[in-house]
Amino acid sequence: MSTAIAPKAQIPDVAGQITYAMRSMGVAPIPRNYELFYEAYIGSNLALTRELAALGKSATQEELDEIGAKYFPHHAGRVFDEAHSRLASELDAVLRALRQEQTTLESYNRLLGETSQSISSRSHHSAELLRGAIDMLAAATGDTMAHGEKTVEHVVERSQEMDLVRKELDEYKRIANTDSLTRLSNRRAFEDRLISIFDNQLTRSTTALVLADIDHFKRVNDTFGHPVGDKILATVASIIRANVRRDVFVARVGGEEFALILEATSVEEVTTVCERIRRTLEATPFKNSRTRVDYGPITLSLGICMASEAADSGELYNKADLALYCAKNAGRNCSSIYQDGMQKDFTKSWLIYKN
């Protein structure tokens, strides 16, 4: 069976594996390098994995950045550094404007106090003094109001710019959480969503995790090549997405492994969804329209586990993975629901995809 990452109970944690690999190659532990090794580890982009492996046991930062620029055009380090700089600049401008407004108001308040003292003074009673004081206050009030309007306008402009930066960061997050090949969510987004299941105990009992794996996919890649394999992956992804509700979370979590998180559902409903996906894929022809070469049949094995069967996200993933293994062991091209007593006797590797 193929997979991208072994259960937590069988191998060390992902972060530890990645850190060890980076240390072994003498790679600086900075975020953009970690992102490269993370994507290689989970196997979501085999071309990236091959290029990184081709660097051997040592790699220069320039070589790593070249690969990063190729596969991550909106690289996290650059995006967040630029965003931080822009936000800092805009906030500084807002603070300067507010400080200037404070200074203007303090001057105006001081002028009011001095004028009040002059008018209240028993030694000044002339009409000229009152007219002068009124003219001075009118002018000062007009200037202060005009300055206040400019300050408000300035703050609004800076706020709009900061909102633009926020939108750009939101867009980067969307891109960073999207698998470039299938346009589904990627492993990073999946792990965040998986953890969030256990934030709400009320909805956990009606939430299900499904792991789906394309059968004999390594044979497809070996026989027809990775470009054909990539097209098949994209087609399978579109079939999965088309056969579930819009609110169902769908991700590509490994080379040929997908995950679905369904909320407000039951075991029976999830089974129905899985069977609909499986039958649709089974009935879909995979042929080259020009050469008439038949790449199929392409089938899917699926493992199902309700969140109520697990104490945390790691256990839920492992139990769904166990159900998936049992579906593979039962002959593939079928769905399997997790049950107590299920066992498996294999060890996964993140670099070797076995079917």
Side-chain angles (χ1 to χ4, degrees), residues 94-131:
V94 170
L95 290 174
R96 284 201 307 271
L98 293 177
R99 280 195 292 268
Q100 291 174 359
E101 180 68 9
Q102 181 183 12
T103 299
T104 300
L105 291 175
E106 287 175 350
S107 298
Y108 182 61
N109 185 60
R110 186 166 52 252
L111 176 62
L112 288 176
E114 292 173 354
T115 304
S116 176
Q117 289 179 358
S118 297
I119 294 174
S120 300
S121 174
R122 292 173 180 265
S123 60
H124 297 87
H125 299 285
S126 68
E128 289 76 11
L129 172 62
L130 289 174
R131 279 196 296 271

Side-chain angles (χ1 to χ4, degrees), residues 141-155:
T141 300
D143 291 342
T144 301
M145 291 177 65
H147 188 276
E149 290 174 357
K150 290 181 179 179
T151 299
V152 170
E153 182 180 347
H154 186 68
V155 170

Side-chain angles (χ1 to χ4, degrees), residues 185-293:
S185 297
N186 60 15
R187 179 82 188 203
R188 181 187 299 105
F190 165 69
E191 291 182 347
D192 289 342
R193 187 63 173 266
L194 185 65
I195 292 172
S196 71
I197 291 175
F198 293 85
D199 291 341
N200 190 333
Q201 297 302 315
L202 294 177
T203 60
R204 192 186 74 172
S205 61
T206 57
T207 299
L209 170 64
V210 177
L211 296 182
D213 189 274
I214 302 176
D215 298 323
H216 302 298
F217 191 71
K218 184 177 185 300
R219 187 167 64 195
V220 173
N221 274 335
D222 291 345
T223 304
F224 303 109
H226 289 284
V228 170
D230 287 349
K231 290 181 179 179
I232 290 174
L233 282 169
T235 301
V236 172
S238 66
I239 289 174
I240 294 175
R241 182 73 269 179
N243 280 277
V244 297
R245 303 189 312 259
R246 291 186 61 182
D247 63 336
V248 173
F249 178 86
V250 185
R252 181 188 176 203
V253 296
E256 64 268 24
E257 187 171 317
F258 301 87
L260 297 84
I261 296 177
L262 300 89
E263 299 176 337
T265 191
S266 64
V267 173
E268 293 76 18
E269 291 171 335
V270 176
T271 302
T272 299
V273 170
C274 289
E275 282 301 292
R276 182 168 64 243
I277 293 170
R278 187 190 64 78
R279 288 171 182 167
T280 302
L281 181 61
E282 182 182 38
T284 301
F286 285 84
K287 292 183 178 180
N288 187 306
S289 59
R290 183 175 58 83
T291 65
R292 308 307 300 171
V293 172

Side-chain angles (χ1 to χ4, degrees), residues 36-58:
L36 282 174
F37 278 77
Y38 178 91
E39 295 296 337
Y41 187 99
I42 66 174
S44 64
N45 189 319
L46 297 180
L48 183 154
T49 301
R50 287 193 291 269
E51 285 198 34
L52 197 61
L55 297 179
K57 295 185 177 180
S58 62

